[in-house]
Amino acid sequence: MQIEPLKNWGVAEDKPWVISGPCSAETEEQLTETALALVEKGVKTIRAGVWKPRTRPGTFEGIGKDALGWINNIRTQVPEDVKFAVEVATAQHVEQALEAKIDVLWVGARSSVNPFTMQDIADALRGVDVPVLVKNPINPDLALWIGAMERIAGAGITKIGAIHRGFSSHKKTRFRNIPSWHLALELKREYPELPMICDPSHIAGDSALIAELSQKAMDLDFDGLMIESHRDPANAWSDAKQQVTPDVLSEIVEGLSIPTASSGNVEFNSQLTELREQIDQLDRELFDTLAERMKVVDKIGNYKRDNNVTVFQMRRWDEILKTRSDWAKELGLNQDMMFEVFTHIHEAAVRRQMDILEKKEAGV
């Protein structure tokens, strides 16, 4: 993909690039009051949900095209450098947004998961020059996320960015969507020029967690934040719990610590190098330990094969989850992270034991 650096987009002067506004444009008065309050707080890109893809019919699905007219009315009341962003989910949405001269488009998680939808959106974008941000699909599939952006790039769009909004899961955690930060970082590693925006509102699902997640995104060198803001969150028509007032948004942004990628301080860099060497050594020890663990897994697999014992045993898995969670708590480690780590380790162990069983059945 050919990706133009964010500094050339004309939308973000400083880091982080803050995109904020209501989950839904409900009334012209509500949108106008919220937008003007955000601009007063220094926000230069206003977001608004014009079309709302909802899980179930009968809920509020957005005002639609009329809200684009509200946005253009607001333009006359704000400085020229203020931009406006909306979500598009169909080719018709793209056409109507472009006709209304919307500055930034984003594609939601329910759209990026569908290659046919992404291709329709890409085809509607062909021949235009507009920034397009793509949210990660609802499921943790990096290839699907990349594929969605490749379709946009195939239409000739070069101002492409990614929005990390977390991933759906059946597991209960303190977040609405599991962050799985490593997937966003892997995407950034593969495409260093790709602007990475964090959507803490949808990761959190709770306004009380937005500041924490926003700082985490900054610590991981994200380029910007998309945060839902409403003049009266408690009475919002959609996603009330995850929206903040413009005043609270300002407090969150002003309270952020923006780390630098490196330091000119020679002593500091020397200390950082030494600490990274310690990390490398500890990681090597982790791999050595995992290798030893897999040797024991193979022995257990051979025992199960020879004694006709089932590979997967729920009672043992429940025991592992309970004890490892307790160990994590004792050591001050994040229990959700340890759950995810041991899920992967356990799945790998089960696969190895299944291979042993299949070799027996094949007479190997």
Side-chain angles (χ1 to χ4, degrees):
M1 289 188 292
Q2 180 182 349
I3 302 171
E4 194 167 339
L6 181 59
K7 63 182 181 180
N8 297 337
W9 289 22
V11 295
E13 297 176 3
D14 302 309
K15 185 176 180 179
W17 175 23
V18 177
I19 306 168
S20 188
C23 172
S24 302
E26 301 161 357
T27 67
E28 184 168 5
E29 179 189 8
Q30 166 257 359
L31 181 59
T32 301
E33 184 177 331
T34 303
L36 293 181
L38 289 168
V39 171
E40 185 178 344
K41 297 297 182 182
V43 177
K44 293 295 184 68
T45 304
I46 305 297
R47 57 146 287 157
V50 173
W51 301 278
K52 299 299 300 179
R54 311 310 294 172
T55 302
R56 301 182 64 181
T59 55
F60 177 62
E61 296 185 317
I63 295 297
K65 185 178 179 180
D66 288 349
L68 298 175
W70 302 347
I71 291 173
N72 281 326
N73 289 339
I74 296 170
R75 284 186 192 276
T76 64
Q77 304 174 56
V78 298
E80 290 184 2
D81 61 349
V82 173
K83 310 297 182 182
F84 291 85
V86 302
E87 178 180 351
V88 292
T90 69
Q92 183 181 47
H93 292 172
V94 172
E95 292 164 3
Q96 292 177 353
L98 294 175
E99 183 180 354
K101 301 188 185 306
I102 298 300
D103 305 287
V104 179
L105 307 180
W106 85 82
V107 182
R110 288 181 174 86
S111 300
S112 62
V113 76
N114 188 328
F116 295 108
T117 296
M118 288 306 307
Q119 191 58 57
D120 287 344
I121 291 173
D123 290 342
L125 288 165
R126 200 171 300 277
V128 303
D129 179 22
V130 61
V132 179
L133 306 175
V134 180
K135 286 194 175 185
N136 61 259
I138 55 177
N139 51 309
D141 188 333
L142 186 57
L144 198 59
W145 196 1
I146 293 173
M149 287 183 283
E150 287 176 334
R151 292 179 187 276
I152 299 298
I157 302 294
T158 58
K159 296 173 183 174
I160 302 174
I163 301 177
H164 176 225
R165 49 83 75 192
F167 302 90
S168 298
S169 173
H170 66 281
K171 294 183 292 186
K172 290 186 177 180
T173 73
R174 56 197 292 257
F175 301 122
R176 175 180 173 183
N177 293 307
I178 296 176
S180 296
W181 298 102
H182 64 282
L183 288 175
L185 296 178
E186 177 60 21
L187 177 61
K188 188 70 171 177
R189 185 195 65 78
E190 191 162 344
Y191 297 98
E193 291 293 337
L194 182 72
M196 182 66 70
I197 312 301
C198 180
D199 178 352
S201 300
H202 279 88
I203 293 176
D206 184 340
S207 59
L209 300 173
I210 289 177
E212 170 192 337
L213 288 164
S214 297
Q215 184 59 60
K216 176 73 171 180
M218 294 300 97
D219 292 342
L220 294 174
D221 200 28
F222 277 56
D223 298 285
L225 301 166
M226 177 180 275
I227 300 176
E228 292 185 347
S229 180
H230 191 288
R231 65 174 181 177
D232 182 12
N235 291 302
W237 294 3
S238 58
D239 288 345
K241 190 177 180 182
Q242 69 189 40
Q243 299 190 69
V244 297
T245 64
D247 285 339
V248 171
L249 174 83
S250 180
E251 292 174 4
I252 291 171
V253 175
E254 290 178 2
L256 292 174
S257 173
I258 311 298
T260 57
S262 62
S263 170
N265 186 311
V266 175
E267 181 180 353
F268 173 86
N269 287 336
S270 175
Q271 292 175 355
L272 186 59
T273 299
E274 182 179 341
L275 291 171
R276 284 173 173 168
E277 289 174 353
Q278 292 180 32
I279 288 289
D280 291 342
Q281 179 60 35
L282 290 168
D283 285 348
R284 176 66 197 194
E285 293 174 12
L286 279 174
F287 274 88
D288 289 341
T289 300
L290 284 172
E292 290 300 315
R293 190 184 195 279
M294 288 304 174
K295 290 178 183 178
V296 178
V297 165
D298 290 345
K299 291 178 181 179
I300 294 174
N302 287 324
Y303 176 87
K304 289 178 178 177
R305 176 197 62 193
D306 296 340
N307 293 275
N308 199 30
V309 176
T310 58
V311 169
F312 179 74
Q313 298 184 1
M314 180 59 74
R315 183 176 296 177
R316 172 58 177 162
W317 177 226
D318 288 341
E319 178 187 337
I320 288 175
L321 288 181
K322 175 66 170 62
T323 55
R324 277 50 169 183
S325 177
D326 290 344
W327 297 347
K329 187 176 181 181
E330 290 172 7
L331 296 169
L333 296 171
N334 183 284
Q335 290 173 283
D336 292 337
M337 178 192 75
M338 297 312 296
F339 178 92
E340 189 169 346
V341 167
F342 269 91
T343 296
H344 288 301
I345 292 174
H346 186 257
E347 288 174 352
V350 170
R351 285 196 298 270
R352 285 176 77 99
Q353 293 183 7
M354 287 296 296
D355 288 343
I356 291 172
L357 182 61
E358 289 171 2
K359 287 178 181 178
K360 174 190 175 183
E361 293 172 347
V364 178

